[in-house]
Amino acid sequence: VAIDKSLPVFPKDKGEQVMAIRAVLVASGRPMDAAAVSRAFKGGGKKIEQRVVQALNTLVRYAEISALPGGTYAARRAA
């Protein structure tokens, strides 16, 4: 699989990671699991997956995204 140069870089700053992950979910327009979110970043995948899981849980806690059955997450629709 070729690396897509258009993929965003996973930020080093934890606060920026949370917002970058939210942006991936909003842009996708569909539910994604942590592995899929991890792969949405350049150089992502398994090595950032644990950090992605933590950020997803933070976003759920602040009601920025929804946790869905089956371990997927979705951005909340704007009212």
Side-chain angles (χ1 to χ4, degrees):
V1 177
I3 301 291
D4 185 346
K5 295 195 180 354
S6 68
L7 292 178
V9 174
F10 191 65
K12 291 189 177 2
D13 177 78
K14 283 191 158 110
E16 290 177 16
Q17 289 170 3
V18 171
M19 297 317 292
I21 289 165
R22 181 179 176 279
V24 164
L25 282 170
V26 168
S28 79
R30 63 182 171 77
M32 297 173 75
D33 64 12
V37 173
S38 299
R39 290 190 303 271
F41 291 96
K42 192 179 297 184
K46 284 280 181 222
K47 73 177 185 213
I48 65 166
E49 194 169 325
Q50 194 53 49
R51 181 65 208 125
V52 167
V53 168
Q54 292 168 352
L56 288 166
N57 289 332
T58 297
L59 286 162
V60 170
R61 199 172 316 128
Y62 289 106
E64 291 285 335
I65 64 170
S66 301
L68 304 174
T72 61
Y73 299 84
R76 290 185 178 266
R77 296 279 169 243

